Amino acid sequence: MDFSQIESVLGLATTALGATGKAVSTVEAVRNLFSSGKTPDSGEANKLLNALAGELTAANMMNVQLSEALKVLSRELKRQDEFENEKARYELFQTSQQDVVFRLKGDMANGQPIHFICPVCLNSDKQISYITGQGDYKTCQKNRDHLFKFNDTPLPIRDYYTF
């Protein structure tokens, strides 16, 4: 998880809390002005009420931003949780040629055929990329440079110019 998102949300929350605290202080100043027993200065009252309106508007805007940031963070945490749950369905598997891939656990197949996924994509890109192919060499569907050797046979020659 990118902790800068959490730091950003905490910063917004702190700023919103500060703005709310400032508005509360202004409310107290207005209350004191009107509860002093004497007729309040209308200029001072107007100044405080305008300040309060601005502070409440700022606090409201920050709360809206905070709410949006929390929604984004919540979606990201849910996405990461779903990825971790999907990742838990796989186990490391070593081919007979010592290549390491991930294989779907038999008890987690849920009707899917047993298959392999690319460890490079899983660990670096946080993506589930299937390993496909016939024979002793299989490749990642996302990146054809991720080649895995399952048995001991010579590597077939690739013809890059064939379409």
Side-chain angles (χ1 to χ4, degrees):
M1 155 136 269
D2 180 13
F3 289 104
S4 66
Q5 280 184 297
I6 294 173
E7 290 172 355
S8 176
V9 168
L10 291 175
L12 277 171
T14 301
T15 304
L17 187 59
T20 303
K22 194 171 180 183
V24 168
S25 296
T26 304
V27 166
E28 286 300 316
V30 170
R31 183 176 292 139
N32 290 339
L33 185 66
F34 283 96
S35 67
S36 66
K38 54 184 178 175
T39 304
D41 176 16
S42 64
E44 180 66 19
N46 196 23
K47 178 180 149 193
L48 286 172
L49 290 173
N50 284 335
L52 179 59
E55 291 161 1
L56 290 174
T57 299
N60 187 38
M61 295 296 286
M62 286 179 214
N63 284 332
V64 168
Q65 289 174 338
L66 180 59
S67 178
E68 285 301 313
L70 286 170
K71 286 178 189 175
V72 168
L73 184 59
S74 178
R75 281 192 300 265
E76 177 62 20
L77 289 171
K78 183 180 179 196
R79 187 191 66 75
Q80 285 186 6
D81 188 48
E82 288 170 352
F83 173 78
E84 289 301 322
N85 288 338
E86 183 66 17
K87 182 179 174 183
R89 296 178 61 213
Y90 294 87
E91 62 189 351
L92 277 176
F93 176 81
Q94 189 170 27
T95 70
S96 66
Q97 299 306 301
Q98 312 314 310
D99 270 352
V100 177
V101 296
F102 281 94
R103 176 179 63 185
L104 181 64
K105 296 175 186 175
D107 62 339
M108 301 289 278
N110 302 332
Q112 292 181 331
I114 299 301
H115 57 271
F116 301 98
I117 61 172
C118 179
V120 178
C121 293
L122 184 70
N123 291 321
S124 64
D125 299 337
K126 304 287 188 236
Q127 290 186 340
I128 306 285
S129 298
Y130 295 110
I131 295 173
T132 61
Q134 297 289 326
D136 298 338
Y137 293 88
K138 299 181 187 335
T139 59
C140 170
Q141 282 184 321
K142 181 180 175 209
N143 186 334
R144 307 291 273 156
D145 291 333
H146 300 164
L147 179 67
F148 303 96
K149 188 174 182 180
F150 280 72
N151 286 308
D152 187 23
T153 58
L155 183 64
I157 297 176
R158 283 183 169 173
D159 186 0
Y160 288 102
Y161 301 104
T162 303
F163 294 98

